Structures are given as structure tokens and as C-alpha cells.
Amino acid sequence: VDALTLGPIALFSQECAVIMSPASQFMSSSNFFDPAKTELGFGVMGSVASIPAGHSTSTIFSSWALDGEPDGIRRAFKSWGNKLLRLFGTRRTADVTLENLQFSTDNGAYYYYLTEKDKSYQDTIIDVQRRTAAAGIPFRQWLMDSWWYFKGVGDGV
């Protein structure tokens, strides 16, 4: 399992769920679970070349009694998220990307690195906007993926 692509770890049975993840230093912390070896680890990513004196990281373990409730796993994750929100003194805000229709050119989308025949990316997106507006499709957001902006050396931003 690649620790760089792993999110929170959830272990659960019929009775209980435990959600575990970094609770600080999110850009350099990681977690790791290998069920074949029954190994579980948390800490600084292995690719970090040096760690300054005084550096610290923390991990959150959040448990939830499921008691056979049908949405217990979802509630366990919500409890874990609420604990992180309290830890940082923040609050959950509305996610407009879940409440409104969004057009996306992200990986897997039809126009991901694809243009209309003999057209630029810009002209393709303008055409899509015109056609969807004429059809009454109420897109409220547009997500332009990486092909839309300049990439530097080695595809850096």
C-alpha cells in the first residue's frame, strides 16, 4: 500500500469503528496499513530528507460504537471529522460543489486533455458553455484541470 495515497484508516466490526489519521502536519505526515503483515504505522513520510529539531506530529484515534446501526460507518467518520474540527477550532461549512451542478475537466471527464476537433482548449470550453447554457443546464462551478494552466519544468506549477 502506498502511504502517499492513503487517507484515514477505518477498522470496524459489527460493534465498533475506529478511524485513525494524522492530526497535524498534514503535508508531511502519513499513515500506513498492510493487512498482509498486520502492520499499522503513523508518522513523518519516508520521503522527508530531514526533520528539524523540535518537530512534532500527532495522530487521532476516534472510536464509535456501531451497535448495528445502518449508517454507523458514516457517523463514525463524521465523529472523527468533528473531533478534528474541534481540535483546530474550525467549523464545517457548506460545500457548494455538492449542492450545485459542476462541470469538470478532471481525470476521467470527457474533456480531460481532449478538445473538439480542430479547436483549442479555450474554444472547446467556450463551446461547452454556450451549448449547456442554451440547453438550460445550470452549471454553477467549472473545474479546470491541469491542462488549463502553465506547467513548469517537470510538469511543476
Side-chain angles (χ1 to χ4, degrees):
V1 175
D2 180 2
L4 292 177
T5 60
L6 196 61
I9 295 173
L11 303 175
F12 53 91
S13 67
Q14 292 291 328
E15 295 81 30
C16 179
V18 177
I19 315 285
M20 302 164 281
S21 74
S24 68
Q25 308 298 335
F26 298 103
M27 297 304 290
S28 62
S29 294
S30 186
N31 51 10
F32 175 78
F33 178 63
D34 185 343
K37 296 180 181 176
T38 61
E39 291 179 350
L40 177 64
F42 296 90
V44 178
M45 290 180 184
S47 60
V48 172
S50 65
I51 300 173
H55 176 83
S56 66
T57 185
S58 58
T59 302
I60 182 171
F61 291 77
S62 176
S63 64
W64 185 264
L66 298 178
D67 297 325
E69 58 181 302
D71 67 339
I73 301 294
R74 182 193 63 80
R75 291 177 57 151
F77 269 99
K78 190 135 187 177
S79 173
W80 161 79
N82 287 339
K83 289 172 185 171
L84 284 172
L85 289 170
R86 278 194 307 278
L87 179 65
F88 290 97
T90 57
R91 61 184 175 82
R92 196 176 309 274
T93 59
D95 186 344
V96 297
T97 65
L98 297 176
E99 297 171 3
N100 300 298
L101 189 59
Q102 178 183 52
F103 181 86
S104 174
T105 62
D106 200 354
N107 187 10
Y110 183 78
Y111 287 109
Y112 180 69
Y113 285 94
L114 177 69
T115 63
E116 295 176 310
K117 185 174 170 73
D118 300 323
K119 296 218 176 172
S120 68
Y121 287 118
Q122 180 177 341
D123 290 337
T124 297
I125 293 303
I126 290 169
D127 286 350
V128 169
Q129 192 280 328
R130 286 182 182 143
R131 286 194 307 270
T132 56
I137 300 172
F139 288 120
R140 297 282 302 274
Q141 291 92 24
W142 289 70
L143 171 63
M144 300 295 136
D145 194 38
S146 62
W147 56 263
W148 188 252
Y149 54 79
F150 172 78
K151 292 183 196 72
V153 176
D155 285 339
V157 184

